[in-house]
Amino acid sequence: MNVLLIGGGGREHALAEVLLASPTLGRLQVAPGNPGMADHRIDLDVADHGAVVARALRDGVDLVVVGPEAPLVDGLADALRDAGLAVLGPSAAAARLEGSKAFTRRIASEAGVPQPASATFVDTQSASAWLDEFARPVVVKADGLAAGKGVIIPETRAETDAAIAEMLDGGSMGDAGRTVVLEERMTGPELSLFALCDGTRAVSLGVARDHKRVGDGDTGPNTGGMGAFSPVPGVTEVDEQHYLATFVDPVLKVMAERGTPYVGVLYVGLMLTDEGPKLVEFNCRLGDPEAQVVLPLLADDAVALFAAVAAGRAPTSVGRRPGHAATVVACAEGYPAAPRKGVPIPTVPEATDELRVFHAGTAVHGDRLVSAGGRVLAVTGLAEDLDGALERAYAVIDELTGDGLFARSDIGGRMTTETTTGNETDGAGEPDAYARAGVSFEAGESAVERIAARVGATHDDRVVAGVGSFGGVYDVSSLGLDQPLLVSSTDTCGTKTVLAAQVGHWDGIGADIVNHGVNDVLVQGARPLFMLDTISAGSLSVDVVDAVVGSMATACVENGCVLLGGETAEVPGLIHTGQVDVAGTMVGVVDRSALLPRADIRAGDVLLGLESNGLHTNGYSLARTVVAELGADHAIDGDDLPLGLALLRPHRSYLAPLAAALDGGKVKALAHLTGGGFPDNIPRCLPDGLGAEVDTTAWPTPPLFQLLVDHIGLGRDEAHRVFNMGIGMVVVVAPGDVDAVTAAIDEPVHVIGSVTSEVGVTLR
Ligand code: GLY
């Protein structure tokens, strides 16, 4: 088959390569192409659709593959199809899924695709009124194609208003911005899925993750993409099928029903949010540089595959090579604002099974290869694992960069700074990986020693084996209980750690996870025995691990339990560089006779509330949106800490204040206020058939909560589901025991409600 390939970037060089490898290929022509495909370039103005059609018919082209979005949005595929030619690429009507963000949101909504809240505006006044109402951070998008410049992520309301005004004025975005789409700002790792769509069915070509910011650590302005890798650790083929079924199939159905079936590659940009994957965007083509990692892993005959899809016969699966691909883009200095042209490019190595060098913004001047665009070359490494692939790509990138060319040094979460350690360390943890990352084992070991000392300081003589052993061993024989029951609870700090990373304050994060676990086992009447933790990070910082483990150890000692062991995992690619996930499991013990909740809870029993000292470990995804708007330094009237640090106050433990009351035997039940607030947590400790009534005015709302609720504009019921609103633990007692229990608790106790014979929780 003769194939005409339209486009001239790195993506098209990668397409050319898989087309050239196909046994089905007759002749390949590329327009405009680039020096990487010199032998196949033809002289053809791709903006002149009539000329492209005429040339394709004259040269006996059997299949046209269109790489970039602009000609598709412009209707090139329509012109070719009208002339009876087979095309891999959507019609102009279908390419609106990339060409108009407002259209995408409408179609996605019709198709029932999970997506952020959004609204479309053509005037600033209506946009402003919507923002007043919405009161959460947004992303501002120009409706039309804007060559990667149409998305602004403002930090404040003032920046949001300015971005909208500039777009609507037709400023830097021109006509693309005459309509703006405002979208709820989502957080989470991004993922791109590439679906080959034949009009009614889709098959996955693979998934990739790219790095859009120009600088290391995801800093600086957005670019077209500085590097990418495929597959994405943690994303299985089952996930891919799920994403196809959720995001692609229903959209294909809607597009077909509208009479504009989608044929071509659909790029599905997803954000993996706390609430599940949501649609960021659709693009009507392969990603660049994602194509440079997805295509080299294609095992099937590309010409046959693309032709079948173009003819409405997508296969049910696509063969992929085992292993991983990672690409790093070498850019011309000044990219993205004003890339230097004419930078000489050193000789690039030949392609091998383990390495590809794809041309993008290159040109030949005389006999020299020079830069002619921002993204100049994409170097793809292939290996059994991601680390190996990155290593191969960087071996070349390190040679290319320096003199007028630069690249990010942390693609794929590649470690560049001093890292490592913990009571056990793994992830990319073979010695080689650390050596490559410039990590000194001596530094690692001294950090291990530091942490081991902190952990060891929590141990008592019940610890038989701790740090360094495969399993922690704890001796329960001396507990002296008649019928000891072990109680366990596991949890994470959730996205509180994202705020800790933002504010650079880790000192309380360990206490958070310990105290959360202590409170959970306490609710069953148990006292904590030992804790096991996991700290996972994209790139481990000794100081962060030290601060977190140190704070865990201190909290364990305060609660009379031990930090028996843990895991410190470096998982680049799975967790963004700079982010840390902290999880822990607490094991406690209770004698069967003291197990809570008791069975004798009755309607009329009283609910006592103990105060919280902040958000504890819940509601941070929402609270962070307020930090994004007001800033971490924002002063709170009535609180001695600014917003960021007030939100980072460690979750308090209720063991000490409740110990005497529990020993007194009059506490019938406890409920720890975690996610879901009163409505979700009080019923967890009540027998079937009973409910509760809570008087939400029975205690003062702490200033921090007042600020969050006012700023976000939350109603009472919603506020009490997302946040604890000032009460962190509920104690259930008989009416006659209120005084005795209150007297046994050495801190403010609020009578906040009662147990009722009506199921559910009523807030008053
Ligand atoms: N790498 C992002 C894109 O191709 O849109």
Side-chain angles (χ1 to χ4, degrees):
M1 293 181 80
N2 294 331
V3 179
L4 171 61
L5 171 62
I6 305 292
R11 167 184 46 215
E12 285 73 32
H13 192 182
L15 276 164
E17 185 195 83
V18 289
L19 293 168
L20 285 166
S22 158
T24 317
L25 183 75
R27 182 183 56 218
L28 176 68
Q29 295 172 313
V30 190
N34 67 36
M37 316 166 234
D39 295 346
H40 305 277
R41 292 175 88 170
I42 58 170
D43 189 15
L44 180 62
D45 176 6
V46 297
D48 181 347
H49 295 179
V52 178
V53 170
R55 181 70 185 255
L57 290 173
R58 192 196 82 191
D59 290 355
V61 166
D62 300 297
L63 173 69
V64 183
V65 176
V66 185
E69 62 278 13
L72 292 165
V73 171
D74 230 22
L76 176 59
D78 305 71
L80 291 160
R81 281 201 187 96
D82 287 349
L85 288 153
V87 191
L88 185 74
S91 65
R96 286 185 76 204
L97 284 178
E98 174 162 2
S100 165
K101 308 246 176 327
F103 177 77
T104 303
R105 291 296 169 207
R106 268 205 313 280
I107 296 295
S109 158
E110 212 176 303
V113 161
Q115 58 174 342
S118 70
T120 302
F121 299 98
V122 292
D123 71 284
T124 47
Q125 260 173 351
S126 324
S128 182
W130 184 84
L131 281 170
D132 289 344
E133 178 84 6
F134 188 64
R136 267 174 266 162
V138 295
V139 178
V140 182
K141 293 185 174 174
D143 178 50
L145 288 186
K149 299 191 192 94
V151 178
I152 294 180
I153 305 175
E155 290 301 332
T156 61
R157 174 63 191 265
E159 280 176 33
T160 310
D161 290 338
I164 295 168
E166 159 144 13
M167 282 192 193
L168 288 175
D169 281 353
S172 56
M173 308 300 163
D175 282 345
R178 298 247 183 238
T179 300
V180 293
V181 180
L182 305 183
E183 294 177 2
E184 168 193 2
R185 183 160 161 184
M186 303 183 284
T187 51
E190 290 193 50
L191 179 76
S192 308
L193 170 83
F194 298 94
L196 279 169
C197 306
D198 71 2
T200 51
R201 288 175 308 116
V203 63
S204 174
L205 199 53
V207 292
R209 180 167 290 152
D210 77 338
H211 297 254
K212 291 208 175 69
R213 301 288 189 119
V214 76
D216 280 357
D218 289 330
T219 52
N222 260 340
T223 69
M226 299 293 292
F229 54 94
S230 177
V232 176
V235 178
T236 63
E237 289 198 15
V238 174
D239 294 328
E240 279 183 46
Q241 292 310 321
H242 172 69
Y243 299 146
L244 277 182
T246 311
F247 294 92
V248 182
D249 294 346
V251 166
L252 290 189
K253 189 157 176 284
V254 169
M255 294 300 282
E257 282 165 4
R258 296 170 67 96
T260 55
Y262 191 99
V263 179
V265 179
L266 186 64
Y267 169 139
V268 186
L270 297 177
M271 188 160 290
L272 308 180
T273 75
D274 290 350
E275 294 161 357
K278 292 194 185 178
L279 182 70
V280 176
E281 62 179 358
F282 282 130
N283 292 315
C284 61
R285 47 158 178 101
L286 277 165
D288 187 345
E290 293 94 325
Q292 291 90 309
V293 288
V294 168
L295 292 173
L297 294 173
L298 176 67
D300 286 353
D301 172 341
V303 173
L305 174 65
F306 295 165
V309 172
R313 294 190 311 271
T316 50
S317 67
V318 169
R320 295 192 212 155
R321 294 179 201 284
H324 293 247
T327 199
V328 183
V329 179
C331 301
E333 263 173 24
Y335 179 70
R340 260 179 67 196
K341 294 215 166 114
V343 175
I345 300 169
T347 310
V348 297
E350 293 289 314
T352 67
D353 284 350
E354 298 166 348
L355 184 77
R356 311 279 199 283
V357 180
F358 297 114
H359 287 238
T362 62
V364 178
H365 280 183
D367 58 355
R368 301 190 68 173
L369 191 65
V370 297
S371 72
R375 294 188 292 171
V376 178
L377 295 167
V379 181
T380 299
L382 295 150
E384 263 174 39
D385 58 19
L386 177 58
D387 270 342
L390 285 164
E391 204 164 342
R392 285 180 178 148
Y394 272 109
V396 176
I397 282 288
D398 291 345
E399 295 296 315
L400 287 174
T401 50
D403 259 347
L405 298 181
F406 73 96
R408 269 182 67 159
S409 61
D410 61 350
I411 299 302
R414 178 183 185 246
M415 297 166 290
T416 51
T417 50
E418 184 184 282
T419 57
T420 184
T421 203
N423 4 10
E424 201 180 290
T425 304
D426 65 31
E430 322 87 32
D432 282 1
Y434 287 122
R436 174 172 61 73
V439 174
S440 119
F441 259 91
E442 288 84 318
E445 273 160 21
S446 77
V448 172
E449 279 162 23
R450 237 152 85 188
I451 284 154
R454 289 192 183 282
V455 174
T458 71
H459 288 188
D460 56 23
D461 52 14
R462 295 209 185 102
V463 175
V464 178
V467 178
S469 54
F470 283 95
V473 183
Y474 189 91
D475 180 1
V476 289
S477 63
S478 62
L479 291 174
L481 301 175
D482 283 345
Q483 294 184 66
L485 304 180
L486 292 181
V487 178
S488 63
S489 165
T490 194
D491 221 310
T492 79
C493 285
T495 57
K496 191 166 185 174
T497 54
V498 177
L499 185 64
Q502 185 187 336
V503 178
H505 183 85
W506 293 94
D507 291 357
I509 288 292
D512 273 303
I513 199 65
V514 171
N515 291 341
H516 192 126
V518 168
N519 294 338
D520 277 351
V521 300
L522 192 65
V523 162
Q524 314 290 157
R527 306 302 156 94
L529 292 178
F530 60 83
M531 171 94 189
L532 297 155
D533 71 280
T534 305
I535 303 174
S536 312
S539 168
L540 283 171
S541 142
V542 175
D543 289 337
V544 170
V545 173
D546 193 34
V548 174
V549 175
S551 131
M552 269 183 218
T554 306
C556 281
V557 171
E558 282 168 5
N559 285 288
C561 62
V562 304
L563 187 51
L564 191 57
E567 165 76 353
T568 309
E570 189 154 52
V571 284
L574 179 60
I575 296 184
H576 285 305
T577 304
Q579 299 299 344
V580 181
D581 184 44
V582 176
T585 300
M586 178 63 78
V587 176
V589 69
V590 58
D591 194 87
R592 186 180 284 276
S593 63
L595 185 66
L596 295 180
R598 281 175 14 194
D600 60 348
I601 300 175
R602 309 262 178 271
D605 281 347
V606 176
L607 304 181
L608 304 176
L610 269 64
E611 292 178 3
S612 65
N613 63 336
L615 267 59
H616 289 179
T617 25
N618 282 295
Y620 282 87
S621 295
L622 192 53
R624 282 191 295 115
T625 65
V626 179
V627 178
E629 290 229 326
L630 298 180
D633 293 335
H634 182 84
I636 306 169
D637 241 358
D639 198 315
D640 51 354
L641 292 178
L643 181 59
L645 291 179
L647 284 169
L648 286 170
R649 272 201 199 92
H651 196 150
R652 62 175 297 211
S653 160
Y654 291 96
L655 174 61
L658 283 174
L662 289 170
D663 287 346
K666 292 189 162 55
V667 171
K668 289 189 175 186
L670 296 171
H672 181 203
L673 270 285
T674 59
F678 294 121
D680 284 358
N681 289 296
I682 295 181
R684 296 169 77 181
C685 74
L686 297 180
D688 286 350
L690 294 182
E693 194 173 66
V694 175
D695 175 4
T696 57
T697 63
W699 68 96
T701 303
L704 171 63
F705 291 97
Q706 198 62 57
L707 172 81
L708 295 175
V709 167
D710 289 346
H711 192 81
I712 301 164
L714 285 178
R716 185 196 62 191
D717 288 6
E718 206 182 348
H720 278 274
R721 271 194 183 275
V722 182
F723 300 125
N724 66 56
M725 294 305 291
I727 295 292
M729 182 69 88
V730 175
V731 186
V732 183
V733 295
D737 291 334
V738 169
D739 289 346
V741 171
T742 304
I745 301 173
D746 190 16
E747 65 171 54
V749 177
H750 304 276
V751 175
I752 63 165
S754 57
V755 176
T756 61
S757 51
E758 209 167 297
V759 175
V761 175
T762 309
L763 301 181
R764 278 195 284 118

